[in-house]
Each structure stands twice: as C-alpha cells, then as structure tokens.
C-alpha cells in the first residue's frame, strides 16, 4: 500500500535540507544494499559519517514523526535513520524487494515499513517513479 504524505517539509526546511545535502560527502549506494539489491542498485548516498548527517536526521525525522497522517498510518515501534540518496543521469535502483530484516549483527530490526521522501519537485527531473 502506498500512502502519500503531503508537505512533510515547508519551503524553508526543504531549502535547509538541500543546502546540507549540497555540502555532504556521498558514497556508493551499494554499501547499504542487501545481497539481492546490490545487483540492481546504482545510486549514491550520503556517507553515514558525514558531518551533515545529524542535522539532516534531526530536521527530517522530527518533521516526519510530527506529521498527522504519518502518526495515524505508521505507529512504528522503532524508526531507523534514513538514507539520503541521489541519482544522476544513468543511475537507477532496479526492481527489488526491500530486505525484511536490516542492521548489523546485534542491532537487527524488521523493516516492515519503507518511506521515501522526495526532496526535488517531479517537474525538475525525468524518471524517479516509485511503484
């Protein structure tokens, strides 16, 4: 089931996120992929050690968990830190099923709910369909 959450971030917050992402270090997205996804994942993600990651997570996650529709639809026990992905020309994340269990040994968790927050207006790019 897909649920659309309108206006998670206001214009000012979105601008702040974009500024932070513009200065962040990105790494190969395959580093966070499970075995099956590695074969179809071709993107970049903010390095988990980047200095901007804490600010990004605080801003985005605080806004997400306060969103009324998210609160009524998700009811999560735990929320994993997000990944910030970018795609340039020719990149894609092919057909895949998200891993049902994620994390490192000793810190495993079920990932029953996936959330994608688009930070660019769809009119600004081609592609990006989510199914």
């Amino acid at each position: 089931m897909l649920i659309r959450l309108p206006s998670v971030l206001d214009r000012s917050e979105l601008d702040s996120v974009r500024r932070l992402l513009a200065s962040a270090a990105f790494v190969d997205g395959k580093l966070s992929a499970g075995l099956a996804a590695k074969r179809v994942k071709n993107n970049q993600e903010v390095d988990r050690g980047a200095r901007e990651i804490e600010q990004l997570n605080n801003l985005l996650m605080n806004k997400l968990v306060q969103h009324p529709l998210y609160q009524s639809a998700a009811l999560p026990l735990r929320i994993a830190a997000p990944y910030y992905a970018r795609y340039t020309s020719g990149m894609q994340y092919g057909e895949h099923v998200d891993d049902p269990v994620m994390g490192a040994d000793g810190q495993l968790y079920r990932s029953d709910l996936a959330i994608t927050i688009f930070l660019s207006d769809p009119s600004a790019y081609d592609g990006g369909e989510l199914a």
Side-chain angles (χ1 to χ4, degrees):
M1 172 188 336
L2 293 177
I3 298 173
R4 185 169 182 260
L5 303 179
S7 304
V8 173
L9 300 170
D10 65 27
R11 176 61 53 198
S12 173
E13 293 159 339
L14 187 54
D15 288 344
S16 294
V17 167
R18 287 180 179 156
R19 272 193 304 280
L20 288 165
L21 290 172
S23 64
F26 280 76
V27 296
D28 188 344
K30 284 183 173 63
L31 295 172
S32 69
L35 291 175
K38 280 186 197 284
R39 294 189 293 269
V40 297
K41 190 173 187 179
N42 179 19
N43 70 356
Q44 297 176 327
E45 295 172 349
V46 171
D47 185 332
R48 303 300 273 179
R51 62 179 174 78
E52 296 86 356
I53 203 81
E54 187 175 347
Q55 286 178 277
L56 284 163
N57 289 348
N58 286 340
L59 175 60
L60 190 62
M61 296 306 289
N62 284 337
K63 292 299 292 191
L64 178 64
V65 300
Q66 292 174 25
H67 195 284
L69 185 52
Y70 175 82
Q71 289 176 352
S72 65
L75 297 173
L77 177 62
R78 259 177 77 194
I79 302 172
Y83 290 92
Y84 300 90
R86 73 178 175 192
Y87 296 80
T88 59
S89 183
M91 290 184 163
Q92 65 179 2
Y93 199 162
E95 191 170 315
H96 69 283
V97 175
D98 288 344
D99 289 338
V101 177
M102 296 178 71
D105 293 335
Q107 297 293 321
L108 298 176
Y109 58 91
R110 289 201 45 89
S111 55
D112 300 308
L113 179 66
I115 298 168
T116 300
I117 298 178
F118 292 92
L119 300 173
S120 297
D121 190 289
S123 65
Y125 59 89
D126 290 324
E129 293 83 11
L130 181 63

